[in-house]
Amino acid sequence: MWKYSDKLMDHFVNPRNVGSIENPDGHSQVGSPVCGDAMTLDISVDDDDRIVDVKFRTFGCAGAIASASALTEMIAGKTLEEALQVKNRDIADYLGGMPEEKYHCSVMGHEALRDAIKDYRSKIAEVEAEAARACERVPGAAGLELLRARPGSASFRGSSDSPEELAAAVAAAITEALGRKIDVEIAR
């Protein structure tokens, strides 16, 4: 039997932030070939690139569940760049250490975080690319300037006689291209 710290056991028995986020800004799924553990991580990010919600689901041992739980506490409220500074050793230390044979559990949490942030950023890049294409294809959208892209939305500035209708047409074009709902707002 492994010797675990009281804090690690608390996170195993009472894991924090378990579950999933509907339409997360970033999602990842990782696994450990060493022992068969698997983890999903969902993040919601605000306009300042701060993690405002984080949830996980883990199939695995006490170390895997505790590492995922600890990670969520450590990154909640941090910017993406601050969260990326959390390394696997930090997770293990936060839990009061863990047996060397279980250290790979903290590595899995770090990989899940990195991949969820990568997913978030790739969704933004997809919206930016499709927003540019929509401005070329949708009648009346050529003069729009993209102000901000998010995984589920795009904000533009521009003039139109019917901004609501134009926003709906641009949203439909981006949504169709990406296969997920994208909200569009046009400010003057």
Side-chain angles (χ1 to χ4, degrees):
M1 176 108 183
W2 307 113
K3 174 90 169 106
Y4 293 121
S5 70
D6 290 341
K7 189 167 186 179
L8 187 147
M9 287 305 296
D10 180 47
H11 276 271
F12 168 60
V13 175
N14 305 299
R16 285 67 153 176
N17 303 305
V18 175
S20 58
I21 298 172
E22 188 174 337
N23 300 315
D25 292 325
H27 171 81
S28 66
Q29 184 172 343
V30 297
S32 171
V34 173
C35 64
D37 292 344
M39 176 184 179
T40 63
L41 186 72
D42 293 338
I43 58 173
S44 289
V45 181
D46 70 10
D47 288 342
D48 296 320
D49 279 348
R50 191 167 297 280
I51 298 171
V52 293
D53 195 10
V54 56
K55 302 281 186 208
F56 80 94
R57 288 176 289 150
T58 296
F59 174 82
C61 65
I65 294 168
S67 291
S69 174
L71 172 68
T72 65
E73 284 194 334
M74 296 173 75
I75 65 172
K78 291 190 180 304
T79 65
L80 297 178
E81 293 309 315
E82 290 168 343
L84 283 171
Q85 298 307 309
V86 175
K87 304 297 184 208
N88 46 317
R89 177 55 65 191
D90 300 322
I91 297 167
D93 290 346
Y94 183 86
L95 291 168
M98 60 178 44
E100 276 305 312
E101 299 85 359
K102 293 294 179 178
Y103 186 71
H104 65 275
C105 297
S106 65
V107 173
M108 190 171 64
H110 175 71
E111 289 172 353
L113 171 62
R114 184 194 63 221
D115 289 356
I117 292 172
K118 182 179 177 183
D119 180 57
Y120 165 75
R121 289 177 172 160
S122 73
K123 286 177 181 175
I124 290 173
E126 291 172 346
V127 171
E128 289 172 341
E130 288 306 325
R133 286 186 195 90
C135 287
E136 294 170 358
R137 293 189 316 259
V138 174
L144 294 180
E145 173 191 0
L146 181 64
L147 298 176
R148 178 145 176 105
R150 307 264 307 134
S153 66
S155 299
F156 294 88
R157 179 176 33 232
S159 60
S160 169
D161 293 337
S162 341
E164 293 82 15
E165 289 177 26
L166 182 57
V170 171
I174 299 172
T175 296
E176 182 180 343
L178 294 179
R180 67 177 189 272
K181 184 177 184 307
I182 303 297
D183 295 321
V184 169
E185 171 184 277
I186 299 177
R188 292 181 183 240

